[in-house]
Amino acid sequence: MSNPRVLCLGEILYDMLADQLGRSPSEVESWTAYPGGAPANVACGLVKLGTPSAFIGVVGEDEAGNNLQALLQEIGVDTTGVQRHPQAPTRQVLVVRKQNGDRVFAGFKDYDTTEFADTHLKAGELPEELFASADFLVLGTLELAYPDSGAAVHRALELACQYDVKILLDVNWRSVFWTNPDAAPDQIRELIKKVDFLKLAKEEAELLFDTHDAGAITYRLNSVEGVLVTDGDKGCAYCLGENEDKFSAFSVPVIDTTGAGDSFVAGFVHQLLDHGVQNLNNPEIAKKIIAYACAAGALTTLKPGAIASQPTASEIESFLKEHQI
């Protein structure tokens, strides 16, 4: 495989999806395990679109960890940066689903959030050679919740800066991961100052900036090249280069929204590398990139699970042709 152009740093885990819709965790009769974790989803999504990627994170020395590492390798994601923890288990997250398929993170099975392997990412073991040849680093904010992985995030930012790697932050806020959720917004705002592209869900934008206006957030930060604010089936607002606009969501029969935002990120980065960051000031190119990202997200909702349902480049191209875009 050629050198990974995109490095995805953070958590890889199993989403335990409730088989019965509209029930609380105690009422759920059975669960199905799907591989997930936002950065791992993005890494897999990129490879399926034809952009070489690497995943950097930690799994336990357990069956779940073995299976997740094998899955990444099978898909074609570079696993040089995967660390193993001898005691801590690979994370599993309980996910209940509303009647409309929307998911709600409902905690962890038998462990406290701080006890999982992904909290132990070692800053000193990040493979510098991956950063030396990469174009993009994609990360979330969950690693900030724990001392070891938080330090690793800051080390990754240093390496990205050293090797002129663009950074995209997908906020991906999940209060259930934090022992002190009130501390999160300030830590996240500090991290945002160091990134080039920012992707937020509408609720995250409101939480961090008291607005979901992509242009207003861009101007307030005065340090980013692009802001994307997604709002599920209502579409996406964006400010890229000089271009500020909205893109309506595609109407599709949603089965499961898990991983749709991660496929959106994969589609966005894939297209950005294709068209070149320097061309974002062209409104047609900016719109084309967003349309592609929205199509990637929409197609992922047609099947359950995040990674298994990710589209290929030809599926996205056919979908956009059908929609005359």
Side-chain angles (χ1 to χ4, degrees):
M1 182 177 170
S2 54
N3 284 338
R5 294 190 71 187
V6 184
L7 314 180
C8 301
L9 182 147
E11 67 283 356
I12 186 168
L13 46 79
Y14 275 105
D15 284 320
M16 307 297 290
L17 241 64
D19 293 328
Q20 295 79 32
L21 297 185
R23 298 192 186 180
S24 69
S26 58
E27 296 168 331
V28 173
E29 289 160 39
S30 58
W31 307 80
T32 301
Y34 290 99
N41 293 343
V42 175
C44 293
L46 281 161
V47 169
K48 290 183 186 186
L49 295 176
T51 294
S53 76
F55 174 73
I56 300 171
V58 192
V59 290
E61 292 278 9
D62 50 17
E63 191 187 354
N66 293 341
N67 291 343
L68 289 171
Q69 186 161 7
L71 173 71
L72 291 174
Q73 289 166 344
E74 192 184 310
I75 287 169
V77 174
D78 183 299
T79 57
T80 313
V82 175
Q83 302 173 15
R84 304 294 297 255
H85 195 280
Q87 285 92 33
T90 302
R91 191 183 290 270
Q92 295 187 348
V93 188
L94 300 180
V95 184
V96 293
R97 290 188 285 168
K98 296 178 184 173
Q99 289 292 358
N100 65 356
D102 274 354
R103 68 215 188 287
V104 180
F105 292 84
F108 310 99
K109 214 169 171 201
D110 306 314
Y111 296 93
D112 182 75
T113 186
T114 59
E115 295 177 316
F116 291 101
D118 58 84
T119 67
H120 297 290
L121 186 60
K122 291 190 177 77
E125 291 181 21
L126 299 185
E128 192 167 332
E129 69 277 7
L130 286 180
F131 288 83
S133 59
D135 295 308
F136 253 92
L137 169 66
V138 174
L139 67 163
T141 63
L142 300 184
E143 284 60 53
L144 296 177
Y146 317 102
D148 288 355
S149 53
V153 165
H154 289 288
R155 174 63 182 145
L157 294 175
E158 283 171 18
L159 287 167
C161 186
Q162 185 182 332
Y163 290 106
D164 202 21
V165 176
K166 294 281 184 194
I167 302 162
L168 180 141
L169 176 70
D170 179 0
V171 171
N172 203 28
W173 158 251
R174 305 274 182 264
S175 61
V176 71
F177 279 75
W178 293 72
T179 49
N180 178 11
D182 294 342
D186 284 343
Q187 286 192 50
I188 293 169
R189 285 188 200 100
E190 280 305 304
L191 181 59
I192 286 170
K193 292 176 185 172
K194 298 172 180 171
V195 309
D196 302 291
F197 292 91
L198 177 63
K199 183 250 177 195
L200 318 108
K202 183 184 174 184
E203 310 77 59
E204 294 163 348
E206 295 284 2
L207 172 76
L208 295 166
F209 298 102
D210 296 317
T211 177
H212 56 267
D213 183 311
I217 294 168
T218 305
Y219 301 129
R220 191 182 309 178
L221 289 170
N222 198 27
S223 58
V224 293
E225 296 178 54
V227 171
L228 314 165
V229 181
T230 56
D231 189 17
D233 60 5
K234 293 179 186 65
C236 167
Y238 63 92
C239 187
L240 294 171
E242 300 294 307
N243 299 297
E244 195 180 334
D245 207 347
K246 290 188 170 70
F247 192 89
S248 298
F250 294 103
S251 180
V252 293
V254 174
I255 300 294
D256 174 27
T257 57
T258 306
D262 306 324
S263 290
F264 174 93
V265 170
F268 175 75
V269 174
H270 172 71
Q271 283 285 286
L272 204 49
L273 288 170
D274 225 21
H275 290 284
V277 173
Q278 70 280 4
N279 290 316
L280 282 177
N281 283 327
N282 178 324
E284 288 309 307
I285 288 177
K287 190 171 186 176
K288 202 173 173 186
I289 291 171
I290 294 295
Y292 191 99
C294 287
L299 287 167
T300 302
T301 67
L302 303 181
K303 290 182 258 181
I307 293 170
S309 57
Q310 290 169 333
T312 61
S314 60
E315 285 169 339
I316 294 176
E317 277 147 29
S318 305
F319 182 82
L320 288 171
K321 213 169 271 178
E322 272 168 42
H323 287 80
Q324 298 177 326
I325 290 172

